[in-house]
Amino acid sequence: MGTQVPLGGRGRDSEPVFSGVAPEIIEDTLIHLATENEQYLSELPEQAGCFKETRIVEFIFLLSEKWHLDHSTRYHAVELLERFMIKQVEQMCDDRGSTKGSTQGQRSSWSSVRDQITNTFVLRLVSCVQLASKLSLHYSRVTSDTALTFLQSIKYSYTKQELLESELAVLNTLQFHINVSTPLAYVELLLEVLGYNGCLLPAKPLLQLCVQLLDLCYLTRETMYDTLLKITIENSTPSKLQIAKFLTVKEDFMLLAVGVISTGCGAFKLHHWHHSPEHPGVLLRRGQAHCWQPHTPAAPWHQISSGQNSSSEIEPSCTCSHWPSSRAVTLLTTVPAL
């Protein structure tokens, strides 16, 4: 149920196929994705989201467009980079934390960690895009030569051996667990559920709209969730505790997919609907093809707003038929705050 950017001469239909899957498979897949989402949220690191800053996401989106990769690949690359960088930082922190010394020596050690991350960040980003392309579009994967040509165009002098070692570093750090789901997989499956339950909306145009909305969510992630949190708690200055509790909301792929589809349906209705007997949300709730329990968040909404517990304007992605090398360099001049 994947969606792909049309590629000329590839000999493969790039359009997603809906209404061609047995209800039993839809149900099993939905339960699997819901369980996977639950597990990820239950093990969520405190640093989740640190490497999804707009300039990083935009860099990956631009690079994916340059290499004619589909939307699934770009989302996959973002998620791979996020998980890898968090793991890498954790490992470095553990190594440096075990070393005792003077305060000045510790500062020097942390500075060394930051320099190491900064110096290899673009290389690791390219490796994540490469790995995502191999999983999603093996027949049009990003080769080492293609990646090296790009790196050289932005003044990075890496060898093919260093590029291969970078891929291995990502694989080893993630223990080869790189086939992770993205919000797009949840969107596609929920649209399949809607279609099975009699939704009158055409699936393919709605999916195209949802993909655009998902791009926007990735590119405006911090602004979007910051606004949502402030509206939820009815306070423009959330506490650290409220922000921490809200992390599970920001990282919930199922919730994001439902929100994207709901928004897409509303926008689609304004322009294309003639008549629909029920809101798609009703169809989802009454559906016979699936059932799942929502995840148990760190705190319910009313606890977030009350604080109960025991313890910039952003540019959209653009088509890059002519890759702006200077733009690519300035997008990642610094590593996000750790």
Side-chain angles (χ1 to χ4, degrees), residues 46-115:
E46 294 180 3
Q47 300 80 11
C50 287
F51 294 92
K52 290 182 181 178
E53 291 187 5
T54 299
R55 68 184 187 278
I56 298 175
V57 173
E58 186 180 6
F59 191 101
I60 292 175
F61 281 14
L62 286 168
L63 189 56
S64 297
E65 288 192 21
K66 174 179 173 64
W67 287 338
H68 306 291
L69 302 175
D70 67 354
H71 286 80
S72 177
T73 303
R74 64 169 63 177
Y75 302 142
H76 197 171
V78 171
E79 300 303 329
L80 278 183
L81 181 66
E82 159 86 353
R83 299 186 189 207
F84 164 73
M85 290 304 301
I86 290 176
K87 286 284 187 182
Q88 184 187 47
V89 172
E90 287 177 348
Q91 291 175 1
M92 289 182 172
C93 288
D94 290 341
D95 293 341
R96 296 305 187 278
S98 61
T99 303
K100 296 182 179 180
S102 64
T103 302
Q104 184 177 357
Q106 290 177 348
R107 289 176 180 173
S108 176
S109 178
W110 287 115
S111 177
S112 175
V113 169
R114 185 177 181 84
D115 289 344

Side-chain angles (χ1 to χ4, degrees), residues 34-264:
T35 303
E36 183 181 278
N37 191 52
E38 286 286 333
Q39 182 176 356
Y40 175 64
L41 292 173
S42 67
E43 302 170 352
L44 200 62
E46 294 180 3
Q47 300 80 11
C50 287
F51 294 92
K52 290 182 181 178
E53 291 187 5
T54 299
R55 68 184 187 278
I56 298 175
V57 173
E58 186 180 6
F59 191 101
I60 292 175
F61 281 14
L62 286 168
L63 189 56
S64 297
E65 288 192 21
K66 174 179 173 64
W67 287 338
H68 306 291
L69 302 175
D70 67 354
H71 286 80
S72 177
T73 303
R74 64 169 63 177
Y75 302 142
H76 197 171
V78 171
E79 300 303 329
L80 278 183
L81 181 66
E82 159 86 353
R83 299 186 189 207
F84 164 73
M85 290 304 301
I86 290 176
K87 286 284 187 182
Q88 184 187 47
V89 172
E90 287 177 348
Q91 291 175 1
M92 289 182 172
C93 288
D94 290 341
D95 293 341
R96 296 305 187 278
S98 61
T99 303
K100 296 182 179 180
S102 64
T103 302
Q104 184 177 357
Q106 290 177 348
R107 289 176 180 173
S108 176
S109 178
W110 287 115
S111 177
S112 175
V113 169
R114 185 177 181 84
D115 289 344
Q116 184 178 348
I117 293 173
T118 302
N119 293 337
T120 60
F121 189 75
V122 174
L123 176 62
R124 298 294 188 253
L125 183 151
V126 170
S127 294
C128 288
V129 176
Q130 275 191 280
L131 290 170
S133 75
K134 292 175 181 179
L135 288 174
S136 182
L137 289 173
H138 185 69
Y139 70 97
S140 62
R141 68 188 183 278
V142 178
T143 65
S144 297
D145 290 337
T146 300
L148 284 176
T149 300
F150 165 72
L151 288 168
Q152 291 168 3
S153 73
I154 57 174
K155 311 306 180 183
Y156 285 95
S157 301
Y158 290 110
T159 65
K160 186 173 290 187
Q161 181 63 30
E162 288 173 319
L163 192 61
L164 293 174
E165 289 175 355
S166 178
E167 282 193 76
L168 277 176
V170 174
L171 290 170
N172 288 328
T173 301
L174 295 177
Q175 298 180 332
F176 287 80
H177 295 156
I178 62 172
N179 193 19
V180 297
S181 298
T182 69
L184 181 59
Y186 292 81
V187 169
E188 290 175 340
L189 186 59
L190 291 177
L191 287 178
E192 187 74 56
V193 172
L194 282 173
Y196 177 79
N197 285 285
C199 179
L200 301 180
L201 286 173
K204 292 181 182 180
L206 181 55
L207 176 60
Q208 292 174 357
L209 180 56
C210 287
V211 167
Q212 294 178 30
L213 290 169
L214 198 54
D215 278 356
L216 183 64
C217 289
Y218 266 94
L219 289 167
T220 62
R221 182 177 184 275
E222 286 304 315
T223 302
M224 179 182 71
Y225 282 114
D226 182 59
T227 302
L228 179 60
L229 174 57
K230 291 176 180 178
I231 292 175
T232 301
I233 65 175
E234 298 181 346
N235 191 326
S236 60
T237 56
S239 66
K240 291 183 178 180
L241 181 60
Q242 290 170 331
I243 293 173
K245 290 180 178 181
F246 199 68
L247 186 60
T248 53
V249 176
K250 297 171 68 174
E251 296 297 323
D252 192 331
F253 287 175
M254 185 70 79
L255 179 63
L256 176 59
V258 171
V260 165
I261 292 175
S262 299
T263 304

Side-chain angles (χ1 to χ4, degrees), residues 1-4 13-18 70 72 184-185 188 207:
M1 288 178 284
T3 177
Q4 299 164 8
D13 184 9
S14 62
E15 292 296 324
V17 177
F18 289 96
D70 67 354
S72 177
L184 181 59
E188 290 175 340
L207 176 60

